């Protein structure tokens, strides 16, 4: 028996932030990052809380790839303040931090506290998932945490918060959306509900990602990508992800390459690996099950071709084209990582990728040698 749930109530469209003036809570802890505070974006939240007579405090000690030490500081802040609701504002790091902080604090206090997630980037989909990623810098490990209790109570999607996102971050986060949708679509845990959400997210990315990158005043494209991110989050919250994320977590933990960028660089390699199709392939009488899914994805993006081989290759070429159009590095060397240091770390990264929870639902079961090969090809 399977089940499908959407437990997070989603507010979206024009003036979605006005929901904050109508909260049924009296005391809120805002968890965010220093940029949101310095940019003045926080005021878009706080004046609405003031209008609704909701008392609040701010914890802004959030950094990328949130380490366990910062999560511990947030737990102390939450226990000291004792809020009725946590409001997470920011990108994936802020929302993941808030989810983890609330999870550990409520375990300690035994008090139910609501969580409202307000994303300021269109990428992680964390506002609707039961996943959070925390890091252990001392051991170069990222830990994906998974629990239904980490699902946000509400998500607020307001495109006003993503208008000023720089082009390079729009590219990285947009490719993260596409990777989420594709991996959920081919996951061994996929189902009709997750597939429908992933398909719509992929379709939106195909039409609006490049537009969103080229012109941050294209409000319509920005709104669409904000929705696509949420749809992809709903898809992978049900179906999980795959090897692409497993390797990206390992690379990000070791070399601090932004998560969306790591996913983007890996995506062509992982599609070729999962499908068994590359530039040397010839027509076959039988293909892996995921090939049909990749062909469907190519059709959604308008690049379906003569047969399975040419269509999957066209999909890979489309992704590579998008990376180049948006100035996303296509290899680790382009990220400035030292070759010797990288190759010395490959064995360890391969082991961590295989142990990653996301890898378990990949459509092809990888060996260590195969992951090592992908990592080697990724450098150049």
């Amino acid at each position: 028996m399977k089940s499908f749930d959407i437990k997070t109530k989603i507010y979206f469209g024009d003036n979605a932030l006005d929901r904050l003036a109508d909260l049924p809570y009296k005391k809120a802890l805002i968890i965010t990052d220093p940029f949101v505070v310095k940019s003045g974006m926080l005021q878009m939240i706080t004046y609405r809380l003031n209008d609704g007579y909701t008392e609040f405090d701010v914890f802004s000690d959030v950094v990328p790839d949130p380490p366990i030490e910062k999560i511990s500081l947030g737990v102390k802040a939450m226990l000291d303040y004792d809020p009725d609701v946590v409001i997470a504002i920011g990108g994936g790091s802020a929302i993941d931090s808030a989810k983890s902080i609330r999870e550990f604090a409520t375990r300690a206090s035994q008090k139910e506290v609501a969580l409202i997630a307000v994303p300021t980037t269109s990428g992680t989909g964390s506002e609707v998932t039961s996943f959070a990623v925390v890091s252990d810098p001392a051991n170069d490990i990222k830990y994906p945490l998974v629990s239904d209790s980490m699902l946000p109570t509400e998500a607020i999607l307001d495109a006003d918060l993503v208008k000023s996102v720089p082009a390079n971050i729009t590219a990285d986060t947009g490719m993260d959306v596409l990777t989420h949708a594709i991996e959920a679509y081919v996951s061994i845990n996929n189902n009709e509900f997750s597939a429908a959400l992933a398909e719509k997210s992929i379709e939106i990315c195909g039409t609006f990602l490049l537009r969103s990158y080229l012109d941050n005043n294209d409000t319509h494209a920005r709104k669409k990508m904000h929705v696509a991110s949420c749809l992809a989050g709903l898809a992978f919250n049900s179906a999980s992800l795959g090897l692409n994320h497993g390797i990206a977590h390992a690379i990000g933990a070791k070399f601090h390459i932004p998560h969306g960028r790591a996913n983007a660089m890996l995506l062509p390699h992982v599609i070729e690996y999962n499908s068994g199709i590359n530039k040397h392939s010839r027509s076959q009488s039988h293909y892996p099950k995921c090939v049909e899914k990749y062909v469907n994805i190519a059709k959604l993006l308008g690049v379906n071709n003569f047969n399975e081989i040419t269509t999957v290759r066209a999909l890979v070429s489309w992704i590579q084209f998008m990376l180049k159009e948006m100035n996303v590095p296509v290899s680790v060397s382009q990220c400035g990582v030292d070759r010797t240091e990288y190759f010395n770390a490959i064995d360890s990264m391969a082991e961590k990728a295989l142990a990653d929870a996301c890898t378990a639902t990949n459509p092809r079961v990888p060996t260590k040698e195969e992951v090592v090969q992908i990592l080697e090809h990724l450098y150049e």
Side-chain angles (χ1 to χ4, degrees):
M1 180 187 296
K2 296 181 179 180
S3 66
F4 181 83
D5 300 278
I6 300 178
K7 296 180 179 177
T8 305
K9 185 164 186 176
I10 303 166
Y11 295 86
F12 64 102
D14 294 338
N15 304 312
L17 282 173
D18 286 351
R19 163 62 182 161
L20 294 170
D22 298 320
L23 297 182
Y25 311 107
K26 296 301 180 186
K27 199 174 182 183
L29 176 65
I30 297 172
I31 296 178
T32 190
D33 58 66
F35 173 77
V36 170
V37 176
K38 291 175 185 175
S39 68
M41 203 181 297
L42 185 62
Q43 294 175 10
M44 299 171 68
I45 308 300
T46 56
Y47 91 75
R48 289 174 165 94
L49 293 178
N50 286 328
D51 286 349
Y53 301 101
T54 300
E55 178 188 337
F56 63 86
D57 194 12
V58 179
F59 175 80
S60 60
D61 196 5
V62 169
V63 297
D65 301 325
I68 295 168
E69 292 78 9
K70 296 291 186 185
I71 301 301
S72 298
L73 291 173
V75 170
K76 183 179 184 304
M78 182 172 166
L79 290 173
D80 288 346
Y81 188 62
D82 191 29
D84 307 309
V85 61
V86 170
I87 302 175
I89 308 161
S93 295
I95 297 175
D96 281 4
S97 293
K99 289 159 103 171
S100 304
I101 289 166
R102 183 189 68 148
E103 179 74 7
F104 296 125
T106 52
R107 287 185 188 182
S109 67
Q110 298 297 306
K111 175 184 175 181
E112 288 295 320
V113 178
L115 172 61
I116 299 174
V118 188
T120 59
T121 61
S122 305
T124 67
S126 188
E127 68 274 8
V128 289
T129 74
S130 55
F131 293 77
V133 179
V134 298
S135 63
D136 177 3
N139 294 300
D140 294 326
I141 297 175
K142 284 188 176 184
Y143 294 105
L145 308 178
V146 187
S147 172
D148 282 348
S149 59
M150 288 198 295
L151 276 165
T153 314
E154 298 179 10
I156 299 175
L157 310 180
D158 196 314
D160 283 346
L161 295 171
V162 296
K163 284 181 180 176
S164 60
V165 174
N168 64 316
I169 295 178
T170 297
D172 288 347
T173 55
M175 289 303 299
D176 199 17
V177 174
L178 184 66
T179 306
H180 288 154
I182 290 176
E183 286 216 288
Y185 196 62
V186 302
S187 161
I188 60 172
N189 279 357
N190 78 86
N191 55 70
E192 288 86 350
F193 298 96
S194 66
L197 294 160
E199 285 175 353
K200 189 60 182 178
S201 181
I202 291 164
E203 180 187 307
I204 292 172
C205 289
T207 304
F208 293 104
L209 174 52
L210 190 54
R211 274 180 53 176
S212 186
Y213 168 80
L214 292 171
D215 182 6
N216 65 358
N217 291 316
D218 189 340
T219 306
H220 184 62
R222 295 258 164 169
K223 283 181 180 177
K224 289 290 189 179
M225 285 303 301
H226 217 33
V227 171
S229 176
C230 187
L231 292 171
L234 291 169
F236 83 75
N237 192 57
S238 172
S240 193
L241 294 161
L243 180 62
N244 210 110
H245 270 74
I247 299 177
H249 288 151
I251 292 174
K254 179 65 179 176
F255 295 106
H256 309 293
I257 295 171
H259 177 66
R261 187 171 301 175
N263 272 327
M265 293 189 299
L266 277 161
L267 191 53
H269 297 272
V270 173
I271 290 174
E272 287 188 345
Y273 168 73
N274 284 340
S275 66
I277 293 172
N278 55 48
K279 62 183 179 181
H280 304 296
S281 298
R282 300 176 64 180
S283 295
Q284 304 165 36
S285 58
H286 177 74
Y287 295 93
K289 200 172 179 182
C290 64
V291 168
E292 182 181 349
K293 295 291 187 72
Y294 287 130
V295 168
N296 287 343
I297 292 168
K299 289 176 181 176
L300 288 167
L301 295 170
V303 294
N304 54 305
N305 214 293
F306 176 67
N307 61 15
E308 289 89 346
I309 298 286
T310 57
T311 299
V312 172
R313 288 189 60 194
L315 171 60
V316 169
S317 295
W318 183 88
I319 293 166
Q320 292 169 332
F321 165 80
M322 289 290 286
L323 299 183
K324 290 173 183 175
E325 284 291 295
M326 296 190 296
N327 293 306
V328 177
V330 297
S331 66
V332 172
S333 62
Q334 291 180 5
C335 297
V337 175
D338 178 75
R339 180 186 179 87
T340 301
E341 186 182 359
Y342 179 79
F343 275 82
N344 285 343
I346 281 180
D347 191 77
S348 172
M349 289 192 295
E351 290 182 355
K352 288 169 182 172
L354 288 172
D356 192 284
C358 295
T359 301
T361 47
N362 195 64
R364 180 175 174 182
V365 179
T367 64
K368 182 178 175 180
E369 291 71 21
E370 289 168 339
V371 177
V372 165
Q373 191 172 53
I374 291 171
L375 285 164
E376 288 174 347
H377 289 163
L378 190 65
Y379 187 79
E380 298 296 348

